[in-house]
Amino acid sequence: MRILLTCLSLGLAVGVLNCGSSDTTDNNRPPTGCNGQGGGPAGQVEVGNNLFRSAHNGTCNPAIDTVAVGSAVTWTWVNTGVTPHSVQSNPPSQGAPSFQSSNTLTGAGSIYSVTFTTPGTFEYDCVVHGSQMTGRVVVQ
C-alpha cells in the first residue's frame, strides 16, 4: 500500500510539473519564447525561432506595435538557429508600403527596418513560415 501511494504521489507531481512546460509539440500552444514581458521601445520586434515578438509589449504571433507616422519599425533576429526567417508585408495593399527582407536571414543580430510614412494598419508575416509567424504595425 505504501509503495502504491508513493507511485501515485510521484505520478501526480510529474503531471503538475508538466502543466507549465514550454514544449511546442502541441500546435495549439504558442511557440517557446512567446511569453515575453516587453518593456522595450515601440517599433522594436524580435525575430525568434518561428515567432515575431514585440519588444515593447511582449505580444507574439501576432506581434503588435503602434508607432507614429514617420517612425521606423526594426526587426532584430535573436535565437533563430539555422532556419531562415524574413519579414514581408501581407497582403500588399494599394497605398500601403510594400516591404520584404531577405529570406536568408538566419543569424542572431541580423536587422531589417522599415519607415512607415502613411497612417494605417499593416500586416506582415515570414515568407518561409506564413501564418505561423505574423505581426501588425498600427501607424497613427
Side-chain angles (χ1 to χ4, degrees):
M1 183 69 165
R2 179 177 250 160
I3 292 173
L4 178 61
L5 287 176
T6 301
C7 289
L8 288 173
S9 296
L10 284 174
L12 179 61
V14 169
V16 167
L17 289 174
N18 281 335
C19 287
S21 172
S22 63
D23 181 18
T24 60
T25 56
D26 180 350
N27 290 331
N28 293 322
R29 283 190 271 173
T32 301
C34 276
N35 56 355
Q37 300 300 311
Q44 298 295 313
V45 180
E46 298 171 347
V47 181
N49 194 12
N50 293 346
L51 66 87
F52 289 121
R53 179 179 48 231
S54 168
H56 178 66
N57 56 34
T59 56
C60 181
N61 291 342
I64 302 170
D65 273 281
T66 300
V67 298
V69 171
S71 296
V73 173
T74 301
W75 290 266
T76 304
W77 275 244
V78 295
N79 301 323
T80 58
V82 296
T83 303
H85 300 290
S86 66
V87 179
Q88 71 172 0
S89 53
N90 182 28
S93 60
Q94 189 171 4
S98 179
F99 53 90
Q100 181 174 350
S101 69
S102 166
N103 64 357
T104 60
L105 296 174
T106 58
S110 295
I111 295 174
Y112 177 70
S113 185
V114 174
T115 299
F116 290 85
T117 58
T118 307
T121 300
F122 307 100
E123 306 284 334
Y124 63 90
D125 64 13
C126 173
V127 172
V128 178
H129 296 97
S131 64
Q132 292 177 357
M133 289 179 67
T134 64
R136 180 179 313 127
V137 177
V138 178
V139 182
Q140 299 178 335

